[in-house]
Amino acid sequence: IVPDSTTNSDIGLPSKIDSSNIEQVEMLVLERVSQTITALGGAVAIWEGSKEKSPVLAKSFERHKYFLTALEEWEAGTLKMRSKKAPVPDRITNLQNFVVFCYQAR
């Protein structure tokens, strides 16, 4: 998650999202979500496979698993919206909800 002072341009996103750039923005976000899913999924798999689990880290990994599941669900829903050519306002709302979710998950 990016610091509060980070702007859209700092992470390669346009300042305004509309019908002219929704495809580009979704693809960029989906790419980053996919990378995060891969990394987080690997960490969770190692945790799940370890014989000895630190009680200190257990709560953190429960949060990681929750976040991983939520990312996977968001990714699937977004891909479905794109394939069904959902209206642009709905897709923008989906991206806004994703930002709120990520902010709350910190």
Side-chain angles (χ1 to χ4, degrees), residues 12 25 71 85:
V25 172
L71 284 176
K85 301 290 184 200

Side-chain angles (χ1 to χ4, degrees), residues 58-79:
K59 185 175 182 177
S60 178
F61 271 93
E62 285 304 312
R63 287 186 62 196
H64 293 336
K65 289 191 310 187
Y66 167 77
F67 190 61
L68 176 61
T69 299
L71 284 176
E72 291 168 336
E73 290 172 358
W74 181 85
E75 180 184 48
T78 300
L79 291 170

Side-chain angles (χ1 to χ4, degrees), residues 24-90:
Q24 171 196 1
V25 172
E26 283 176 330
M27 287 305 298
L28 179 61
V29 174
L30 282 165
E31 180 182 309
R32 293 187 181 183
V33 166
S34 179
Q35 292 168 351
T36 303
I37 287 170
T38 299
L40 194 53
V44 168
I46 290 169
W47 170 259
E48 292 293 323
S50 67
K51 292 180 182 177
E52 295 183 29
K53 294 180 176 69
S54 164
V56 175
L57 297 176
K59 185 175 182 177
S60 178
F61 271 93
E62 285 304 312
R63 287 186 62 196
H64 293 336
K65 289 191 310 187
Y66 167 77
F67 190 61
L68 176 61
T69 299
L71 284 176
E72 291 168 336
E73 290 172 358
W74 181 85
E75 180 184 48
T78 300
L79 291 170
K80 191 178 294 184
M81 287 181 85
R82 287 172 54 84
S83 71
K84 292 185 176 188
K85 301 290 184 200
V88 171
D90 292 348

